[in-house]
Amino acid sequence: MLTSFVDGILCCLTGKSANVVVPIETSEPADGFEFVEVKPGRVLRVRHIIPNRPVVEEPGSGEGGSVSCKRKITVYRNGQLLIENVSEATHPELVRCQNGDSTAEVEDLDSRQAVDPNAAMPQEQHQRRRRKPKRTVMIDCERKITRCKETHPDVALFFIHGVGGSLDIWGGQLDYFAQLGYEVIAPDLAGHGASSAPQITAAYTFYALAEDIRIIFKRYAKRRNILIGHSYGVSFCTFLAHEYPEQVHKVVMINGGGPTALEPSLCSIFNLPTCVLHCLSPCLSWSFLMAGFAHQGTKEKKLLKEKNAFNVSSFVLRSMMSGQYWPEGDEVYHAEITVPTLLVHGMYDKFVPIQEDQRMAEILLLGFLKVIDEGSHMVMMECPDTVNTLLHEFFLWQPATTSSKPKQETALPPTANKTSSTKEMARPTTAPKVTTSKPEHNLARPTTAPKMNHEGQK
């Protein structure tokens, strides 16, 4: 604590960060690690594992199934959001969507009562029907989704960490999927792990970091790519899924939060001067341990130390938090995404409330929510076996090849939001049984879905 205080005083006097992160000689084996210069002087460490496994092409393994992605998104000037999911039914299904404190007043077309055209229209209803939308987005595409097995040479897994982390937090996942035979790619964000740390605040804005991730993605991408993001890293996965819908096959969001535009908080401890943050670094590390893990024992402290979690300079930390400005990433932006998405939430997460992930699952067209009751914000480090099994089954998920199966009503999950939107979609025959936050979907439920433990249901 005294050392941190002295370093903080020197930081204030010199105007430089006391603990600058620079590329280091890692003590780990060099095999699988690369240093990629995304821009002149901007170098990222990347762990890239190409497994030596036999390539087995199974008959019919690439067929998969198709999902019809048809929806109309209407945004009104008062911030209300209306999503119409158009299915094979005669009429589109209108849903009630909540946007902040305001809720769009919508009714089901099938439940409308017959109205006499000669009758006088109430003034309130007349005003509502004449309301003009601010923006309307139409989505009409057919998405082909296939299972991604370790024997398929055109599949790559990308793991993206969040603020204060490094690629080392994915150790349990990288080793597991590499041993199965998957090609895995995991970068260190700028200023994190063994990547270079530019000493300018503009180097850590969302757009600068997203451009880094885009370059890494284009360098290592295969024909079918699966993105796995944690916390702030989920935003970069969303960005890539929106920009490259044909190359991004599936997405996994771990404790990523709700579908809201990013904006730095004006009243945050991270707005303090860098030297003050450096003096408070032991307290910040302790707070992260208390809030990021369900338990605070020797195991968790060891994980923090070994995995370089929350081990960045005060300058980088402050710049990362103040650079989280992404106004485009609102609910409409997320509603436009047609990529199948699995959301994983740790029940004891104190950084991201479960309501935010529930809202994300409502907005996403093909979203599934799974709650793990033993985990917190760092659930992939706390429960690696559970997370690995869940991810692997999602990778192997594919829609049914036929759409003629009868639709069944799915009961409202206990964790569902009462204002959630009803989405109609085809559930594949091998879809993992995950806890969703959608009420009463019309789903085609096949009989060959793999078994999965439903952990964390309230």
Side-chain angles (χ1 to χ4, degrees):
M1 182 68 180
L2 180 60
T3 303
S4 299
F5 179 76
V6 173
D7 291 341
I9 297 298
L10 294 176
C11 172
C12 291
L13 294 177
T14 60
K16 298 181 180 179
S17 179
N19 49 343
V20 178
V21 179
V22 296
I24 59 174
E25 293 294 333
T26 176
S27 59
E28 300 174 83
D31 184 28
F33 289 89
E34 303 173 6
F35 285 91
V36 179
E37 188 175 31
V38 293
K39 291 181 180 179
R42 192 178 177 101
V43 181
L44 303 185
R45 180 181 68 154
V46 180
R47 187 175 183 188
H48 181 206
I49 304 177
I50 305 177
N52 184 14
R53 77 290 199 244
V55 177
V56 180
E57 292 294 341
E58 301 176 1
S61 61
E63 295 180 1
S66 297
V67 174
S68 178
C69 302
K70 298 181 181 180
R71 62 177 10 187
K72 179 181 179 182
I73 308 167
T74 306
V75 184
Y76 293 94
R77 298 187 183 278
N78 62 352
Q80 293 177 352
L81 179 69
L82 173 63
I83 299 178
E84 302 176 50
N85 291 330
V86 184
S87 64
E88 298 176 354
T90 305
H91 300 289
E93 183 182 36
L94 297 187
V95 299
R96 180 183 175 95
C97 292
Q98 184 178 0
N99 183 15
D101 296 329
S102 61
T103 303
E105 297 294 336
V106 190
E107 58 182 354
D108 192 344
L109 288 175
D110 297 333
S111 63
R112 288 182 179 177
Q113 298 179 354
V115 180
D116 185 359
N118 297 324
M121 181 180 299
Q123 182 177 3
E124 181 181 355
Q125 182 179 358
H126 179 73
Q127 292 177 353
R128 184 190 309 171
R129 300 184 81 180
R130 292 178 65 88
R131 185 177 54 183
K132 294 183 179 180
K134 178 181 179 181
R135 179 161 59 119
T136 301
V137 179
M138 299 295 299
I139 299 175
D140 187 359
C141 64
E142 196 80 12
R143 186 167 190 89
K144 185 176 181 180
I145 307 169
T146 59
R147 67 178 65 200
C148 298
K149 300 188 67 174
E150 58 276 6
T151 54
H152 296 165
D154 62 343
V155 174
L157 310 182
F158 288 82
F159 293 83
I160 305 175
H161 67 82
V163 177
S166 70
L167 64 85
D168 297 320
I169 69 173
W170 299 109
Q173 287 69 49
L174 300 180
D175 295 338
Y176 176 81
F177 287 105
Q179 291 176 4
L180 285 180
Y182 285 97
E183 180 175 350
V184 298
I185 301 98
D188 278 333
L189 296 179
H192 295 68
S195 293
S196 60
Q199 289 301 291
I200 54 174
T201 304
Y204 302 98
T205 63
F206 171 84
Y207 298 102
L209 297 172
E211 185 61 26
D212 292 346
I213 297 299
R214 185 208 295 267
I215 294 174
I216 296 296
F217 177 77
K218 297 296 290 184
R219 178 186 178 98
Y220 296 101
K222 299 291 185 179
R223 188 172 67 88
R224 294 182 295 168
N225 304 280
I226 301 179
L227 310 179
I228 304 97
H230 172 250
S231 193
Y232 191 27
V234 168
S235 297
F236 304 118
C237 293
T238 303
F239 169 77
L240 291 178
H242 197 277
E243 294 294 313
Y244 304 101
E246 299 302 322
Q247 288 182 272
V248 176
H249 204 63
K250 296 174 183 175
V251 175
V252 178
M253 302 180 177
I254 302 178
N255 294 323
T260 56
L262 296 181
E263 186 174 353
S265 175
L266 297 178
C267 300
S268 172
I269 189 175
F270 298 105
N271 292 330
L272 295 173
T274 302
C275 55
V276 177
L277 283 179
H278 184 68
C279 294
L280 297 176
S281 58
C283 298
L284 294 176
S285 299
W286 178 83
S287 299
F288 180 78
L289 175 64
M290 299 299 293
F293 291 87
H295 306 283
Q296 294 78 37
T298 305
K299 174 186 174 182
E300 287 72 24
K301 295 178 182 178
K302 185 178 180 181
L303 284 174
L304 271 181
K305 184 177 180 180
E306 292 180 350
K307 303 301 182 181
N308 288 325
F310 214 71
N311 183 26
V312 296
S313 73
S314 303
F315 173 80
V316 171
L317 181 60
R318 185 178 188 273
S319 301
M320 289 282 290
M321 299 303 292
S322 62
Q324 293 185 9
Y325 179 71
W326 185 36
E328 296 85 2
D330 56 5
E331 288 189 337
V332 178
Y333 187 93
H334 289 80
E336 292 174 345
I337 295 176
T338 60
V339 179
T341 305
L342 172 66
L343 295 99
V344 181
H345 184 88
M347 177 63 73
Y348 296 97
D349 190 352
K350 296 182 179 64
F351 291 111
V352 179
I354 190 174
Q355 291 79 8
E356 292 193 17
D357 276 332
Q358 286 176 338
R359 182 58 180 163
M360 178 72 84
E362 295 167 10
I363 291 297
L364 293 172
L365 180 63
L366 302 176
F368 308 87
L369 173 62
K370 172 65 179 181
V371 180
I372 301 179
D373 59 358
E374 298 96 345
S376 183
H377 193 66
M378 309 300 291
V379 64
M380 65 282 185
M381 298 171 64
E382 298 171 294
C383 313
D385 295 337
T386 303
V387 172
N388 292 343
T389 301
L390 182 63
L391 266 57
H392 192 205
E393 292 190 6
F394 182 66
F395 297 165
L396 300 179
W397 168 70
Q398 72 177 21
T401 55
T402 60
S403 59
S404 60
K405 295 183 179 296
K407 297 178 181 179
Q408 303 175 1
E409 290 293 332
T410 302
L412 179 67
T415 57
N417 190 334
K418 297 302 181 182
T419 60
S420 58
S421 58
T422 307
K423 304 173 186 175
E424 189 167 300
M425 54 172 278
R427 275 285 169 88
T429 56
T430 56
K433 297 180 180 179
V434 297
T435 305
T436 64
S437 63
K438 305 179 180 67
E440 300 187 0
H441 299 59
N442 290 326
L443 301 178
R445 291 269 187 189
T447 58
T448 58
K451 296 181 180 179
M452 181 171 295
N453 296 328
H454 287 257
E455 302 177 77
Q457 288 189 353
K458 286 187 179 178

